[in-house]
Amino acid sequence: MTVTVLDDLAVPPLAVERFEPFLSAAQYADLLDAAALARLILHDRVLWCVNSTARGGGVAEMLGSLLGYARGSGVDARWVTIDCPAEFLAVTKRLHHRLHGFPGDGGPLGEAERAIYEEVSAENVAGLVDRVRPGDVVLLHDPQTAGLVPELKARGAAVIWRLHIGADVPNDHVVGARDFLMPYVRHAHACVFSRAQFIWPEIDADRCRVVAPSIDALSPKNQPMEPATVTAILQSTGLLGDGLPVDSAFLRRDRSPGRVERRAWLIEDAPTPPDVPLVAQVSRWDDLKDPMGVVSGFVGALHDLGDAHLIVAGPDVAAVTDDPEGARVLREVTELWQGLSPEQRSRVHLATLPMDDPEENAAIVNALQRRADVVVQKSRAEGFGLTVAEAMWKSRAVLATRVGGIQDQIVDGLSGVLLDDPDDLETFGRKLSLLIYDGGYRARLGAAARERVRDQFLESRHLQDWVALLREVAPAG
Ligand code: UDP
């Protein structure tokens, strides 16, 4: 068991010059300055980025791009994934739920869990510590990596711990998870949170920073796509019925051509007709994403939704190695679907998307988000919710719960629609119906959504935030 340093293929260098078409002249000049400063700060150091998985979920999604742009700027940035045995993941998944304010599986976070956590952390740090040199910068992501902080700091590295999750209103679950992690994270040179409300009062305020996540406008997930390609990709994967797929092409991160060839695994009575109004949620299979609520809310409002169909899509559960609960959640949603009336069932489709080629998966998600008339993100808790920014960037009308970072992205009624109470399925259905029937409203929301992402949630802003932090934590010698 040891850590994995991803090879160059997994993290191709990306040129920051690619942002030029999206930014104002002043924004673009600031970005080039930040890239130059990063080169200066890190010219004789390695930037290590450590997390638990290279695919599935928002963190992996962001790291591929951020590290690519760092490398493209001339920084020696390396992506490391730690090894996570099942018993360790059970503990960190518990921590994940608790930090969001939920009980998760309800299990303890006591001495036995700490022993597992520390044993695995020690094995992982042993695989890394000799490669990290004094002065290097290490960015550790989320609860899975917190146990690595003390030893890497002792090694002489500048250690930043970045947490992507948090609770709007901290409760006992949150406090319990923080207590568990504090012995490790208290040693970090800086701790980074996705929103000010997520900052831990237990950590000295002068070591806490806020950096909002972002999307890469040019990745296979978000790159522009012609409507004909959208249809071709969705038909070739089986997500839409009818027609002969013509050209399911997309551009890979390294700009070489790719083609969507694999099929999704679908739980449905018949394929989604190509021309119906479409509602979609794309998320990991996780209770906090509330796929059950999406299905229940949709079928509850079925007679007010015209002939709309719903696709709830998520990754192939076998592929997301740091998510032990995915298979159970998918099974429960499937059972819910099986229990629907034939009419309801015919309008709801569950899809697991192939993950063998992450860029192909991204192109499928891109196409699905673009084809959806309404993108839903009915989460019960959310660190940020990249799926929301992704859909907003595609000028989609998004209906999402007012939780976590979603409320930083959507201004209710202007750049999307917020649902206050995740359990209020009646209001969910009513808001969905309004959106389905009012194309003008959808278009206005979508246009404002794209501008909001352009202003605040593109990778260019994110890169500059990181460089500003590096300047403080690891000043140029
Ligand atoms: N995602 C994906 N394929 C899937 C399901 C999700 O690529 O089948 C991506 C999604 O597009 C987004 C990320 O996983 O980029 C999820 O990030 P988010 O912040 O929404 O939630 P998280 O999974 O981190 O809780």
Side-chain angles (χ1 to χ4, degrees), residues 57-58 61 221 282 284 289 314-315 353 361 365 382 385-387 390:
E61 174 73 22
K221 174 78 52 78
V282 184
R284 288 178 301 103
K289 308 291 182 183
L353 309 181
N361 174 274
V365 172
E382 197 66 72
L386 282 180
T387 50
E390 289 161 3

Side-chain angles (χ1 to χ4, degrees), residues 431-471:
K431 293 191 174 207
L432 196 53
S433 170
L434 197 71
L435 287 168
I436 290 288
Y437 278 108
D438 193 341
Y441 185 35
R442 287 203 309 271
R444 283 194 301 281
L445 293 173
R450 182 167 168 100
E451 286 317 305
R452 191 157 171 87
V453 173
R454 187 198 305 279
D455 282 350
Q456 298 192 32
F457 301 114
L458 288 185
E459 202 107 49
S460 41
R461 187 272 309 152
H462 199 167
L463 286 164
Q464 290 173 73
D465 286 352
W466 275 116
V467 176
L469 178 60
L470 289 180
R471 186 184 203 166

Side-chain angles (χ1 to χ4, degrees), residues 1-4 51-52 81-85 88 120 123-124:
M1 185 178 94
T2 186
V3 299
T4 306
N51 79 319
S52 58
T81 57
I82 57 168
D83 199 87
C84 299
F88 175 82
V120 174
E123 287 176 34
N124 278 315

Side-chain angles (χ1 to χ4, degrees), residues 226-291:
E226 292 299 323
T229 309
V230 167
T231 307
I233 288 178
L234 295 179
Q235 288 183 334
S236 66
T237 51
L239 284 162
L240 282 187
D242 287 357
L244 282 175
V246 216
D247 188 9
S248 56
F250 66 95
L251 267 185
R252 293 187 176 278
R253 278 189 201 275
D254 65 3
R255 317 305 283 162
S256 65
R259 188 168 303 282
V260 171
E261 284 164 349
R262 293 182 180 82
R263 289 184 70 81
W265 185 57
L266 285 142
I267 297 162
E268 61 185 2
D269 279 344
T272 304
D275 46 2
V276 290
L278 185 63
V279 178
Q281 173 163 303
V282 184
S283 290
R284 288 178 301 103
W285 302 100
D286 186 318
D287 291 321
L288 294 180
K289 308 291 182 183
D290 199 20

Side-chain angles (χ1 to χ4, degrees), residues 56-62 96 100 142 164-165 213 215 221-222 282-286 289 313-316 320 323 351-355 358 361-362 365-366 369 377 379 381-390 394 409:
V59 178
E61 174 73 22
M62 263 185 301
H96 181 100
H100 272 311
D142 286 327
H164 294 266
I165 50 189
I215 60 163
K221 174 78 52 78
N222 298 308
V282 184
S283 290
R284 288 178 301 103
W285 302 100
D286 186 318
K289 308 291 182 183
D316 173 5
V320 183
D323 197 350
T352 68
L353 309 181
M355 295 289 286
N361 174 274
V365 172
N366 190 345
Q369 289 170 331
Q377 191 59 59
S379 304
E382 197 66 72
F384 179 70
L386 282 180
T387 50
V388 171
E390 289 161 3
K394 291 160 189 134
Q409 300 182 63

